[in-house]
Amino acid sequence: MEDPVPEQMRTAAAAFLAALDEPARDAARHAFDDEPARRWLEYRPRPRPGVALAGLDVDARKAAHRLLATALSPAAYAQAMTVMALEEVLDRAEDWRRGRHSGDYWVAVFGDPARDDDWAWRFEGHHLSVSMTVADDRVSPAPVFLGANPATVRHAGRPVSRPLGPEEDLARELLDALGPAGRSAAIIAEEAPADIISATRATAPGRLDPPGVPRGRLRPTGRALLDRLVALYLDRLPPELAAREADRLDGGELHFAWAGPVEPGRRHYYRVQGEDLLIEYDNTTDDGNHAHTVLRRPAGDFGADVLAAHHAAAHRPGPLSPGASR
């Protein structure tokens, strides 16, 4: 079955650019070979390439949202919208000092989606960064970063907002299922790191040590929960992309590592590593109420995998004609 996602992205990106006036279009568009701008990941409130939603009219903003929706499942899109809305909640909590706002999210398009074989786009702001690269109508879907501050808003002892709750709860369920020996292998440090280790690097580390506990050492329940945790992150993507990523990882070894106390409400961190896979989660600032999560592909981030395949195909020698020589 043909993958509909590349054409959906191409159509949505072209419609987004068409909805902009000329100055906004100039700000949004970048050359595909502008590597510093294209291989960009920044989940903190910083200046960034692209055009801001805040300066767009309703039609252009909706076009930007429709583009983002081509890269995310309905559940992940709901998480992203909640992350964006939390900027207003955080601004109130900070007594409006920093002027945070839900329009401070930026869209950048690299290359021409209407004509180019290789092109890319990104939707990014504080605690949200989604990068997609398309080469020969094949999508490379990473990095995908979602954060939340506050991670949980409570009232009367119950959560009002907790957009990344499944990412924490399923990892804790896995940790509980490991048993004493499994937990001893999985817990790599008594204190959590200050942030995700891959941070905002253009290239994620191919291996982080110690790796933690391998999937092969887990009992059936632990293996099933680790698989569900990986699937939770892959399911941020549209079904076609998620299925392709799952097939790519099928049969490969996975490792799960945890750092920090195991009690809820304390600062903690975990990661899952596999072949060209890095999942990281941390909740390590603001007394464990400020979460970061990321899905990365160390060898495939920002389209490195599909671009390498494209270039290899483009430079592959063709068949020799009779009498020809190399």
Side-chain angles (χ1 to χ4, degrees):
M1 180 182 296
E2 186 176 351
D3 183 357
V5 177
E7 187 58 33
Q8 291 170 357
M9 287 186 179
R10 189 181 293 275
T11 300
F16 168 69
L17 292 173
L20 304 178
D21 60 24
E22 188 171 352
R25 193 176 303 116
D26 289 343
R29 295 187 70 164
H30 298 261
F32 184 78
D33 60 3
D34 184 350
E35 289 287 302
R38 188 174 64 80
R39 295 185 64 90
W40 172 282
L41 171 64
E42 180 55 84
Y43 49 81
R44 298 165 296 183
R46 300 282 195 278
R48 64 192 79 243
V51 62
L53 298 187
L56 305 182
D57 62 23
V58 172
D59 289 343
R61 288 201 305 274
K62 291 302 295 183
H65 282 288
R66 284 192 288 270
L67 176 58
L68 177 62
T70 67
L72 300 177
S73 66
Y77 182 76
Q79 287 178 304
M81 293 301 100
T82 305
V83 167
M84 294 171 65
L86 281 174
E87 286 301 280
E88 308 294 349
V89 177
L90 182 59
D91 198 38
R92 176 178 179 170
E94 295 174 337
D95 295 325
W96 319 105
R97 292 190 305 270
R98 298 187 63 176
R100 301 182 192 267
H101 60 93
S102 55
D104 193 16
Y105 289 82
W106 299 64
V107 184
V109 179
F110 304 90
D112 187 344
R115 297 185 299 177
D116 294 347
D117 290 334
D118 299 348
W119 65 283
W121 62 274
R122 181 176 56 248
F123 190 112
E124 187 181 74
H126 186 211
H127 283 150
L128 178 63
S129 184
V130 176
S131 289
M132 297 283 144
T133 307
V134 184
D136 293 332
D137 284 332
R138 183 176 173 88
V139 178
S140 184
V144 176
F145 177 97
L146 293 172
N149 185 15
T152 304
V153 178
R154 296 183 180 275
H155 177 69
R158 297 181 181 274
V160 173
S161 169
R162 193 170 175 245
L164 299 175
E167 285 81 351
E168 177 179 352
D169 294 346
L170 189 53
R172 289 190 179 281
E173 190 177 346
L174 168 59
L175 196 64
D176 289 342
L178 294 182
R183 275 194 297 275
S184 178
I187 298 175
I188 58 173
E190 294 182 357
E191 293 186 5
D195 200 349
I196 57 175
I197 306 302
S198 57
T200 59
R201 297 186 184 96
T203 301
R207 176 186 169 96
L208 293 172
D209 289 316
V213 64
R215 180 184 182 278
R217 282 184 51 188
L218 305 182
R219 294 186 293 241
T221 298
R223 292 198 299 270
L225 286 167
L226 179 54
D227 292 345
R228 284 176 55 194
L229 184 61
V230 172
L232 178 66
Y233 281 85
L234 297 185
D235 285 346
R236 291 178 169 181
L237 306 171
E240 297 84 359
L241 297 186
R244 195 189 77 203
E245 291 298 293
D247 288 345
R248 184 179 62 82
L249 296 169
D250 188 36
E253 185 61 284
L254 298 170
H255 286 80
F256 173 74
W258 179 283
V262 299
E263 300 85 9
R266 307 282 299 279
R267 301 180 182 192
H268 57 284
Y269 163 94
Y270 71 78
R271 62 175 174 252
V272 180
Q273 296 183 85
E275 183 66 29
D276 196 20
L277 173 73
L278 175 62
I279 291 168
E280 288 192 278
Y281 166 104
D282 81 71
N283 198 329
T284 58
T285 58
D286 300 328
D287 296 323
N289 196 28
H290 180 164
H292 294 162
T293 71
V294 71
L295 170 66
R296 297 199 67 166
R297 299 179 57 201
D301 274 351
F302 303 104
D305 55 339
V306 294
L307 292 172
H310 168 77
H311 293 150
H315 293 93
R316 185 180 299 129
L320 289 176
S321 60
S325 62
R326 288 194 177 99

